[in-house]
Amino acid sequence: DEERVLIRNGLGHPRYHVRRAAMTYLVERNEAEDRAALLNMVRDPGADVRLAWAELMGRHKWSEAEPLLVSLLSDDRDFSLDRYHGPSRGWPRYSVARAAARALAAFGTLTEASIHALIGSRCSEDPFVFCAAIGAIAKRGDPRVPTVLREALDDPGLHDDADYRVVAQAAVWGFFDRAVDGLAIEPAAIEKLRLVALTEPGWLAGPTLVALGISGGAVREPLYDDLMA
C-alpha cells in the first residue's frame, strides 16, 4: 500500500534516524518483499543504524542474518569518541560489534564459521566484544569452546589491571552456563576453576563456586574440604 511504500523509501533517507525508524517498522512487519532491502541495511553508513539492525536481528533471529551479523563483529566504529555516549575509559567501545555478538547469542544454532569468527573476536581492541562472544558460544557443543573458556580464565585484565578482568569474568559465567545446561566441565578446566574459587575475589570466585557445585559430588566434595581447611 501507499503507506508501506512511503516507509520503505525511508530506508534511503539522508537522515539516519529516519532510516532507523523505517527499518524498525518494516522488520517488525516482516513482509517478504521487504526482506532483501532490510537485510542490506547491515551496510548502512550510519553506525546507529547498524547497531539497531543488529539488535533487531537478535530479537527476530532471521536465519539469513547470521553471516551478516558475523561481518559486524569486525565493525570498528568507536562510540567512545562521541560525547553523547560518554567518555572513553581507555579502550574503544565497538558498540555495533558488541551488539552483533549478543545477537548471535540469541540464535539457537550457529554454523562452525560463525563460532570461528566469535572465537576470533578475542583479537578485538574492545575487550567487551570478546566478552559478548563468550556469552554467544559458552553453551554450544563445539569442541573448541571449553579450551577457549579455559584460556580466557588467564586473561590479565584491562591494561593488565587485575581489578578489571572482564574477559576472565565472562569465562567464569560461561562455565556457569555450561554447568546449568548439564554440559561436562573438563578436568583441566576444573583445576583452574578450583584455583579461581580459592584465590580470586568474590566477583570471580562466587559464580565459580556455584558452577563447580552444580557439577556434582566428585568436584564439590574436595572443594568443600579446601574451603574449610
Side-chain angles (χ1 to χ4, degrees):
D1 56 24
E2 184 177 343
E3 177 184 297
R4 184 178 143 276
V5 171
L6 180 63
I7 293 173
R8 181 167 177 174
N9 288 340
L11 296 176
H13 196 278
R15 295 188 177 181
Y16 82 86
H17 64 274
V18 175
R19 300 196 302 276
R20 182 175 60 190
M23 175 183 69
T24 301
Y25 176 85
L26 292 170
V27 168
E28 297 292 344
R29 288 194 53 166
N30 194 16
E31 299 284 351
E33 54 267 41
D34 297 328
R35 208 168 177 102
L38 291 169
L39 288 167
N40 194 53
M41 295 300 287
V42 69
R43 301 177 180 87
D44 192 273
D48 288 276
V49 177
R50 299 195 302 276
L51 174 60
W53 183 89
E55 292 171 344
L56 285 166
M57 291 303 106
R59 290 201 297 273
H60 293 274
K61 297 182 279 293
W62 291 0
S63 59
E64 311 98 305
E66 182 181 340
L68 300 176
L69 286 166
V70 166
S71 73
L72 290 183
L73 292 175
S74 58
D75 191 303
D76 59 0
R77 173 62 167 85
D78 187 359
F79 280 64
S80 72
L81 300 177
D82 301 336
R83 287 184 298 171
Y84 173 81
H85 292 282
S88 171
R89 294 178 178 268
W91 55 86
R93 184 182 302 155
Y94 297 159
S95 298
V96 177
R98 295 182 191 184
R102 291 193 297 268
L104 288 166
F107 281 61
T109 60
L110 292 174
T111 65
E112 288 188 13
S114 294
I115 293 175
H116 179 77
L118 285 162
I119 293 171
S121 70
R122 63 183 151 197
C123 298
S124 174
E125 293 181 4
D126 177 1
F128 290 94
V129 175
F130 188 41
C131 289
I134 286 174
I137 66 174
K139 296 188 288 186
R140 310 288 173 175
D142 190 288
R144 295 168 289 181
V145 171
T147 300
V148 171
L149 295 180
R150 187 178 73 247
E151 292 176 350
L153 292 173
D154 295 326
D155 186 83
L158 301 176
H159 303 307
D160 293 328
D161 187 338
D163 289 332
Y164 291 94
R165 295 181 61 199
V166 295
V167 171
Q169 188 176 32
V172 165
W173 282 108
F175 280 114
F176 172 87
D177 289 341
R178 289 180 72 81
V180 169
D181 267 26
L183 297 170
I185 300 178
E186 58 181 349
I190 287 174
E191 180 56 27
K192 273 197 173 184
L193 290 168
R194 188 185 71 82
L195 290 173
V196 170
L198 294 173
T199 64
E200 297 290 351
W203 51 272
L204 278 174
T208 302
L209 284 168
V210 177
L212 292 173
I214 294 171
S215 296
V219 176
R220 186 167 55 231
E221 297 305 325
L223 179 60
Y224 178 80
D225 292 341
D226 288 334
L227 290 169
M228 298 302 294

